[in-house]
């Protein structure tokens, strides 16, 4: 990936750089494939269907709930994971 | 599933919470009822209910019966290990208009006189009891003993317990005819053409009860009323702690209502109706979607009271049809056809009364002592199906 | 502020079917809007890369998708991406009102005289032991990671691709084209060269595609296991290993011949597709159940694309799984008819539409032939432990579903009431097939089990967006 196309995002409070337009699922799964806790068992979950229908990859983007599989990285984007009630927050 | 029986001592038509509670009480009295449900158990008005268990703001004449009804739910939760999420959350009745404060104060004064633990709250006190309630309320009532149950699981518990005690229950078994001979009920006929003979038939089919009674040429003053609810996606536990409702003025639910609560699942359930409109009788078999105006009103009221919830997501919505009677009380008791009984007329708050009414019905049909005498006398007076005059 | 649009024809979905429908409708003289959830038009089939240096930037599927979108725009179609329709209702004048959420935050309300639903398909998710472990993803999800991301799978470790059907080979091809190592390819069915040859002999145009798939499966370097199934995914907080076993004569895995694959980072699973029917079902159109068409699908007249509901048309996978060719053809047919109906004209020129119908019948014939080569797997082909999760949204286990069935639940709706399976954000799309399988064990046919009827909203939507779109519909603020 070419240097000039990387952008900065804030991932769980940590500044990170990645390719502009990178799907958030790629960005998140590279860190760990699970980034959410299931509601009752608190089991780790991440991307599953990859097409916006299973809601397993939920994150918070700029304060709003979002499906990671539908989002692509933008400069300054704030991404928060494990925001679900099962996360013990 | 076993085949339909040919005969039964008692047939209960309707597998919602009222029919199942009646079946449970009958089974406990040794009457081995057969329950026939047109669709799935607890799938209609029961499943669509918010299942509030409380006596607050339900009127003074019925107060003792309501208290007993609430106690029966609490006892059932204790006896069964509470598989139906019984929780005594308490109830806040919010008041937005200073002119309605007097109404709230009257409810509190009168219920306290009957021994209730309710009280008035200032806005500051209300936000202590319910931290996210930061909207522009001027006062609130507070009834700490109001509870809720999971409407699906409570119905399932009643079904299972009734069957353990000798009831038999059949889903997807609609009734197409009531057999009447010599002014006496003889049994029912199902859509698949089968007949079940019985000495007693209890009609407990909510908004469909009047249609059933008409099969025996009995006219019942029960009309369906559309009600609906919205649910958010899961929120963290204790986002809302109480049942939040509008303080009812003298007009009762006809002047509009609001109820907001967080289910044990974490979903926030909410509905507001400010100007109820008439429901055509056929709507209960047709309409399945909430009206857009209701959605707008409900969201506005939720966010007015709880501005912090502005970014939550709506998950689902549903419509239910309640059975409304002229005086907003149940019709429970005998009909002019011997052996034919009715127990319907939830008026939007049937869940709370179901166990009490089930006992009352079982006592009337079987003759046992299922409730204290004073309550049986009160119920006989308040719920008499003949109280509106000739019904046949 | 809520955006409002007034069009003759609204098309939901900008995949092959939706783009073809939108273009045909616009060429028929209609004002057309075409809505899609993703950031780029094309759907799953024409999936567009996000990275310009992607190896997929110039593939025929990507280019043809770009062309289809361009052609639709030239014909006058307004394509709105990142637009999710969360509700559709009939209006008093017989038209439709769509409520949508744009970019996750903005409300859009659209009035349309007729509506074409081309909402596509989703993978048929069949639970198996360990299927909820992070790292276990859909085959389509793997394809999306390879095509739209950096071209590499983000999770380190081996990649295993498993399931059944021609799409599995297409995903293996994607691995090969991406230059990504694929360690194992696990296909439930054994090759049937004779039947395959017979099918291809009847559809010679598909020959090159079929050879390409076979060539690229070899080129992927994967160890190929035909007649095998993944019996288990293992790992603590993420996928670490996969077990596979050969299928015996009864169609079940042979427990004595289980093979373990260690060091797995990604397991992509694909057991075929099911139509996404939430819009057509919400509108009450007639639906049918046919395993060869992916289960529940919207019933349409193939000559017009019309559903049982006036003014509502369906194209592509939502009317039965068949792939991109039937989608394009049925899209053109449905779009032409939807435009004619919206403009109050007679049916479109038979000289144009009739040959399309013949082509569609042939394309559907090929799809049926493929479905016969890869019959859908039996419901829940593996024995699951009682604590295995069936409903991922609500963490509902097999034991809980079985207990509900034992208590008298006889339809999908009853299981949902008593267990919460299907009550979460996905609204039963993922667990529906597994619940139906459990009900079938108890004697309920899938037709009788039914499906979770969609209600407002079709997808979780922020309250302010719901409010704004519905208020706009009522003409108030």
């Amino acid at each position: 990936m070419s240097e000039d196309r990387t952008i900065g995002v804030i991932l769980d409070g940590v500044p990170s750089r990645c390719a502009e337009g990178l799907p958030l699922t790629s960005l998140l799964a590279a860190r760990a494939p699970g980034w959410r806790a299931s509601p009752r068992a608190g089991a780790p979950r991440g991307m599953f269907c990859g097409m916006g229908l299973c809601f397993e990859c939920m994150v918070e983007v700029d304060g709003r709930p979002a499906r990671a599989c539908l989002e692509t990285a933008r400069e300054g984007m704030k991404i928060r994971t494990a925001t679900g009630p099962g996360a013990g927050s | 599933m076993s085949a339909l029986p040919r005969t039964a001592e008692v047939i209960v038509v309707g597998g919602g919470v009222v029919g199942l509670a009646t079946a449970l009480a009958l089974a406990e009295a040794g009457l081995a009822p057969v329950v026939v449900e047109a669709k799935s158990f607890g799938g209609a008005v029961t499943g669509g209910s918010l299942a509030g268990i409380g006596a607050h703001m339900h009127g003074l004449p019925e107060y003792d019966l309501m208290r007993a009804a609430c106690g029966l739910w609490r006892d059932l939760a204790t006896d069964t290990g509470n598989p139906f999420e019984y929780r005594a959350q308490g109830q806040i009745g919010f008041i937005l208009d200073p002119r309605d404060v007097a109404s709230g104060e009257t409810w509190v004064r009168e219920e306290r006189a009957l021994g209730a633990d309710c009280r008035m709250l200032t806005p500051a006190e209300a936000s202590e009891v319910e931290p996210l309630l930061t909207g522009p309320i001027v006062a609130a009532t507070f009834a700490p003993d109001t509870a809720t149950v999971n409407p699906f699981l409570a119905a399932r518990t009643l079904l299972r317990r009734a069957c353990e005690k000798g009831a038999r229950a059949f889903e997807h078994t609609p009734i197409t005819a009531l057999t009447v001979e010599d002014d006496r009920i003889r049994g029912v006929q199902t859509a698949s053409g089968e007949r079940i003979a019985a000495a007693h038939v209890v009609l407990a089919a909510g908004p469909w009860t009047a249609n059933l009674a008409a099969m025996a040429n009995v006219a019942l003053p029960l009309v369906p009323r559309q009600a609906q609810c919205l649910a958010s996606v899961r929120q963290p536990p204790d986002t809302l702690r109480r049942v939040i409702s509008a303080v009812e003025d003298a007009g009762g639910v006809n002047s509009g209502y609001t109820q907001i609560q967080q289910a044990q699942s974490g979903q926030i359930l909410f509905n507001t109706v400010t100007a109820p409109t008439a429901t055509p009788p056929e709507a209960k078999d047709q309409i399945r979607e909430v009206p857009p105006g209701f959605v707008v009103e409900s969201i506005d009221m939720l966010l007015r009271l709880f501005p912090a919830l502005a970014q939550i997501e709506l998950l689902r919505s549903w419509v239910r049809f309640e059975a409304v009677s002229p005086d907003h009380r149940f019709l429970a008791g005998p009909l002019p056809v011997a052996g034919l009984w009715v127990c319907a007329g939830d008026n939007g708050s049937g869940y709370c009364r179901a166990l009490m009414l089930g006992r009352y019905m079982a006592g009337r049909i079987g003759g046992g002592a299922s409730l204290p005498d004073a309550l049986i006398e009160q119920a006989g007076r308040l719920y008499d199906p003949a109280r509106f005059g000739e019904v046949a | 502020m809520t955006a409002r649009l007034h069009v003759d024809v609204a098309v939901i979905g900008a995949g092959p079917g939706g783009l073809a429908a939108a273009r045909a409708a616009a060429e028929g003289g209609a004002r057309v809007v075409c809505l899609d959830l993703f950031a780029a038009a094309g759907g799953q089939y024409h999936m567009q890369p996000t990275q310009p240096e992607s190896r997929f930037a110039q593939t025929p599927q990507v280019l043809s998708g770009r062309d289809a979108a361009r052609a639709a725009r030239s014909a006058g179609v307004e394509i709105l991406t990142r637009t999710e329709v969360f509700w559709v209702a009939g209006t008093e004048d017989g038209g439709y009102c769509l409520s949508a959420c744009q970019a996750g935050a903005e409300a859009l309300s659209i009035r349309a005289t007729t509506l074409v639903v081309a909402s596509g398909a989703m993978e048929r998710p069949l639970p198996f032991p360990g299927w909820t472990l992070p790292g276990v993803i859909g085959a389509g999800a793997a394809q999306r990671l390879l095509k739209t991301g950096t071209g590499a799978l983000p999770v380190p470790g081996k990649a295993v691709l498993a399931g059944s059907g021609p799409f599995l080979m297409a995903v293996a091809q994607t691995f090969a084209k991406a230059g990504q190592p694929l360690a194992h390819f696990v296909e439930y069915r054994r090759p049937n060269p004779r039947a395959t040859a017979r099918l291809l002999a009847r559809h010679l145009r598909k020959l090159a595609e079929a050879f390409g798939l076979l060539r690229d499966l070899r080129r992927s370097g994967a160890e190929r296991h035909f007649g095998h199934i993944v019996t288990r995914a293992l790992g603590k907080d993420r996928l670490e290993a996969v077990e596979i076993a050969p299928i015996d004569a009864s169609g079940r895995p042979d427990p004595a011949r289980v093979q373990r694959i260690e060091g797995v980072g990604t397991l992509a699973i694909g057991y075929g597709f099911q139509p996404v029917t939430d819009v057509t079902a919400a509108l009450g159109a007639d639906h049918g159940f046919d395993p060869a068409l992916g289960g529940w699908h919207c019933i349409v007249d193939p000559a017009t694309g019309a559903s049982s509901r006036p003014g509502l048309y369906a194209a592509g996978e939502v009317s039965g799984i068949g792939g991109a060719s039937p989608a394009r053809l049925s899209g053109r047919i449905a779009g032409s008819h939807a435009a004619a109906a919206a403009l109050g004209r007679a049916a479109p020129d038979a000289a144009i539409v009739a040959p399309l119908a013949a082509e569609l019948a042939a394309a559907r014939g090929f799809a049926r032939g493929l479905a016969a080569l890869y019959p859908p797997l039996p419901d829940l082909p593996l024995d699951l432990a009682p604590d295995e999760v069936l409903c991922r949204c609500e963490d509902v286990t097999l034991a809980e579903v079985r207990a509900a069935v034992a208590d008298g639940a006889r339809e999908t709706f009853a299981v949902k009431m008593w267990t919460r399976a299907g009550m979460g954000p996905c609204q039963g799309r993922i667990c529906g097939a597994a619940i139906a399988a459990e009900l079938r064990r108890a004697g309920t046919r899938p037709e009788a089990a039914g499906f979770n009827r969609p209600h407002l909203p079709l997808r979780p939507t922020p309250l302010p967006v719901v409010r704004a779109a519905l208020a706009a519909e009522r003409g108030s603020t």
Side-chain angles (χ1 to χ4, degrees), chain B residues 287-298:
Chain B
I287 293 180
R288 290 156 159 170
E289 299 308 332
V290 297
F294 160 77
V295 178
V296 171
E297 278 184 354
S298 298

Side-chain angles (χ1 to χ4, degrees), chain B residues 1 40-43 152-153 156 159-160 171-172 233-234 265 267 270 288-290 293 295-296 299-300 302 310 312-317, chain C residues 87 394 403-404 407-408 410-411 413-414 417-418 420 423-425 427 453-457 460-464 466-467 470-471 473-474:
Chain B
M1 178 162 296
S40 279
F41 301 115
F152 308 115
L153 297 182
R156 182 183 179 184
L159 171 66
R160 184 196 287 179
E171 40 74 65
H172 285 96
V233 300
R234 279 172 192 277
S265 66
Q267 296 176 351
F270 60 106
R288 290 156 159 170
E289 299 308 332
V290 297
V295 178
V296 171
I299 292 174
D300 284 349
L302 179 75
I312 68 174
E313 291 177 304
L314 185 68
L315 175 65
R316 60 199 179 95
S317 62
Chain C
W87 190 234
E394 297 289 315
D407 273 2
R410 288 292 176 274
E411 58 179 346
F413 172 63
M417 286 193 296
W418 285 356
R420 308 191 60 76
M423 234 181 244
Q427 293 283 286
R453 196 190 152 86
H455 296 287
L456 173 87
T461 308
L463 292 181
V466 175
R467 191 218 178 274
L470 294 190
E473 176 183 339
R474 297 170 75 214

